[in-house]
Amino acid sequence: MTARIIDGKALAERVRGEIAARAAGLAARGEQPCLAVLLIGSDPASAVYVRNKVAGCEKAGIRSLRFDYPADAAPEVVMAKLAELNADPAVHGILVQLPLPLQFDEAAVLEAISVEKDVDGFHAENVGRLSQNQEAFIPCTPHGVMKMLESEHVPLSGAEAVVIGRSNIVGKPMAMLLTNAGATVTVCHSKTRDLAFHTRRADVLVAAVGKPRFVTGDLIKPGATVIDVGINRLPDGKLCGDVDFDSAAAVAGAITPVPGGVGPMTITMLLENTVISAERAAR
Ligand code: GUN
């Protein structure tokens, strides 16, 4: 069997077209969506992500404000900026790129962002709302995965879903979304005793491990839908996912590539959350 490729790039382009139209409509009413992005420190991967987020905003007609701080920035300075942005009615979304330097209390920073402007969905109140299946800003990567599963008509109600990874950014919210969609969800992680036992039962397998080509074909149930959240850089400079694409594609029914899979959807959902926030402000 050779898996169907789930084209995240094409889906992202389609959804971004719709987002741009909504942003233009808001701008015409004097409420141009605006996202503020804070980058603290000089992590090269974070710098690339922030650059792509700002570029994505520009293409969609969303205004972006970028604030850069050195790695030794005082937390009070960043907290003061967050308070200012919370109070600014022209700002609809606020994002602090993670990870933060060690002098920062990450939870305190995320909770200093107004719940209404928390377009990353990392504030404890949004996490709590998601866990209760209430309306909330949903973290962008797992939200993008759900959009891909939806557009591919992957049945989730009653399905066995396995998520590898338990991070606050991907694994945990992914598990909550799949649970809310009616799947029977197992979360595997570095302490899981028999990974293959779990993954081989999965109709939907989401890999968010952060290890290149970790999920090989022998871990996959024939015909399963495999979603690869990983973005790893190999020594030769090439990008690869957490899934060993060739061996996995020989077994899976459908699979996301890296690059061109989940990655483009993540920023798309950030743009959508920013537009949703602006639409609420315009009401
Ligand atoms: N670091 C890695 N992924 C993310 C993300 O989705 N949002 C933020 N703010 N930081 C990240």
Side-chain angles (χ1 to χ4, degrees), residues 30-257:
E31 194 82 48
Q32 186 187 16
C34 173
L35 174 68
V37 181
L38 284 71
L39 174 61
I40 303 145
S42 52
D43 179 63
S46 289
V48 173
Y49 291 138
V50 164
R51 195 171 348 117
N52 289 340
K53 287 171 185 180
V54 168
C57 282
E58 192 167 330
K59 269 189 93 174
I62 295 170
R63 191 159 80 95
S64 64
L65 305 172
R66 181 176 164 163
F67 303 94
D68 286 80
Y69 297 90
D72 62 354
E76 304 76 55
V77 173
V78 173
M79 293 302 226
K81 176 55 75 179
L82 291 175
E84 183 192 316
L85 294 167
N86 283 339
D88 185 344
V91 173
H92 305 99
I94 303 171
L95 176 158
V96 177
Q97 187 65 27
L98 302 176
L100 291 170
L102 290 176
Q103 73 272 26
F104 285 86
D105 174 347
E106 186 179 290
V109 170
L110 296 176
E111 260 148 74
I113 297 170
S114 146
V115 177
E116 290 74 31
K117 298 187 181 187
D118 172 38
V119 287
D120 254 335
F122 294 161
H123 189 292
E125 191 170 328
N126 277 316
V127 177
R129 285 185 190 171
L130 173 60
S131 81
Q132 296 180 354
N133 206 3
Q134 296 173 23
E135 189 166 297
F137 281 123
I138 299 167
C140 302
T141 299
H143 196 185
V145 171
M146 293 304 286
K147 286 260 182 183
M148 294 174 95
L149 294 171
E150 195 181 306
S151 88
E152 293 289 317
H153 308 290
V154 175
L156 294 175
S157 182
E160 292 289 335
V162 173
V163 179
I164 316 177
R166 54 173 161 172
S167 71
N168 291 338
I169 293 179
V170 183
K172 282 185 208 160
M174 187 78 252
M176 285 198 261
L177 286 163
L178 290 165
T179 303
N180 291 345
T184 301
V185 181
T186 303
V187 179
C188 297
H189 46 76
S190 55
K191 302 285 192 295
T192 298
R193 269 193 225 125
D194 187 349
L195 183 68
F197 166 81
H198 298 287
T199 61
R200 284 187 192 134
R201 297 172 58 244
D203 302 308
V204 176
L205 180 60
V206 180
V209 209
K211 291 186 187 161
R213 296 179 180 152
F214 179 79
V215 177
T216 44
D218 57 310
L219 298 181
I220 296 168
K221 176 177 173 179
T225 299
V226 177
I227 305 289
D228 189 351
V229 175
I231 303 180
N232 308 288
R233 201 167 284 282
L234 296 169
D236 67 2
K238 280 196 191 137
L239 289 182
C240 81
D242 291 348
V243 175
D244 179 48
F245 186 84
D246 291 343
S247 67
V251 183
I255 187 167
T256 63

